[in-house]
Amino acid sequence: MQNGKFITLEGIDGAGKSTHLAWLEDYLCSKGVKVVVTREPGGTAVGEQLRALLLDQRHTMHAETEALLMFAARREHLDKIILPAIQRGDWVVSDRFSDASFAYQGCGRGVAWEKLVLLEQWVQEDFYPDLTVYIDVPVMLGRERVNSVKAADRFESETDAFFDRVRTGYLERVRQFPQRMQILDGSLPLDEVRAALAGVMEHFWLNQALHEK
Ligand SMILES: Nc1ncnc2c1ncn2[C@@H]1O[C@H](COP(=O)(O)OP(=O)(O)OP(=O)(O)O)[C@@H](O)[C@H]1O
Ligand SMILES: [Mg+2]
């Protein structure tokens, strides 16, 4: 059976990931693809418990503890959801994946990049998303959007300086993986971001079709 694909959406809080993920699911369904929508941290029973721990405002934890818990949740996510779905031939779309660990725990919290590379290799071996869409927004804009919809969690209550570092981390990953990662300007009006995403998806879809011929 033909393998499925793995697509991830990345960006700081309020970038528009959830909004565009819903569109992406419809887009892929319209192509006749079976889609599994999931998120990180989370996506499994154990992962969702780890997510609750990680987002809980009452907890403080060492930056490396946070990184280890993120990768622990990811290990479970790969084992229970992502890899089985891809092996069935389904497409998996995840709201965040390991690029977020480099951005948040690496640049945001200061965990050594090399340690994250080691964790990534340990947990994923040579497995990477087939496509990652990074939605880039200025920190203030992301914050305004999130503040208008819900109360802040342990990450969302971080400073602007923290989110500036996170954004730098994402941009560094885009620089390292220019083929896999596509950057969208999330500060544009919603329909323009969607049109740009549609362009990225059409390109990706055509490329897949060409490779499978
Ligand atoms: N390009 C845009 N223009 C205007 N509003 C937008 C745009 N993108 C998203 N929004 C709005 O901003 C809010 C946050 O968007 P969304 O929940 O999709 O972000 P997110 O990246 O999933 O955030 P989080 O990381 O907190 O889950 C929503 O109310 C959404 O409608
Ligand atoms: Mg969201």
Side-chain angles (χ1 to χ4, degrees):
M1 185 190 285
Q2 198 170 294
N3 272 355
K5 298 290 169 201
F6 181 38
I7 300 175
T8 60
L9 287 187
E10 296 282 358
I12 62 170
D13 307 79
K17 298 177 298 300
S18 303
T19 308
H20 294 295
L21 199 139
W23 177 87
L24 185 53
E25 184 179 11
D26 288 347
Y27 170 90
L28 290 172
C29 288
S30 77
K31 297 281 190 191
V33 161
K34 190 147 180 273
V35 188
V36 174
V37 173
T38 186
R39 68 172 180 180
E40 288 211 348
T44 65
V46 167
E48 289 294 329
Q49 293 218 16
L50 289 172
R51 179 188 181 92
L53 268 176
L54 282 157
L55 300 192
D56 192 331
Q57 285 269 31
R58 292 168 304 176
H59 298 314
T60 55
M61 62 181 84
H62 192 282
E64 292 184 354
T65 307
E66 188 179 290
L68 287 162
L69 290 178
M70 290 289 184
F71 274 98
R74 185 161 301 131
R75 184 70 194 86
E76 201 61 16
H77 199 198
L78 281 163
D79 184 56
K80 301 284 187 305
I81 305 288
I82 301 171
L83 296 177
I86 289 172
Q87 277 152 17
R88 286 196 304 270
D90 297 351
W91 287 43
V92 180
V93 182
S94 184
D95 188 331
R96 294 211 175 99
F97 192 63
S98 18
D99 298 306
S101 294
F102 285 83
Y104 281 79
Q105 284 69 54
C107 290
R109 303 263 193 239
V111 174
W113 198 267
E114 312 81 67
K115 288 189 178 176
L116 296 173
V117 171
L118 286 174
L119 284 174
E120 186 181 43
Q121 283 167 352
W122 184 20
V123 166
Q124 294 164 224
E125 298 179 356
D126 57 358
F127 179 81
Y128 282 95
D130 297 289
L131 172 69
T132 297
V133 177
Y134 166 58
I135 309 170
D136 187 53
V137 288
V139 172
M140 284 311 292
L141 182 58
R143 200 180 276 290
E144 278 164 27
R145 288 179 185 167
V146 170
N147 286 346
S148 68
V149 283
K150 59 181 179 193
D153 64 31
R154 203 169 66 82
F155 289 95
E156 288 157 357
S157 53
E158 275 296 339
T159 61
D160 290 347
F162 173 85
F163 283 105
D164 274 325
R165 293 195 300 277
V166 170
R167 197 178 172 201
T168 308
Y170 271 129
L171 292 170
E172 176 56 23
R173 288 288 276 186
V174 173
R175 202 187 60 74
Q176 283 187 352
F177 299 97
Q179 297 289 102
R180 168 175 69 85
M181 295 183 76
Q182 298 292 319
I183 183 165
L184 296 185
D185 181 355
S187 67
L188 295 172
L190 205 49
D191 54 344
E192 290 183 36
V193 186
R194 184 161 298 160
L197 176 60
V200 166
M201 289 314 303
E202 277 301 315
H203 187 257
F204 183 75
W205 185 262
L206 288 174
N207 255 337
Q208 296 308 314
L210 268 176
H211 276 104
E212 277 159 18
K213 265 193 181 161

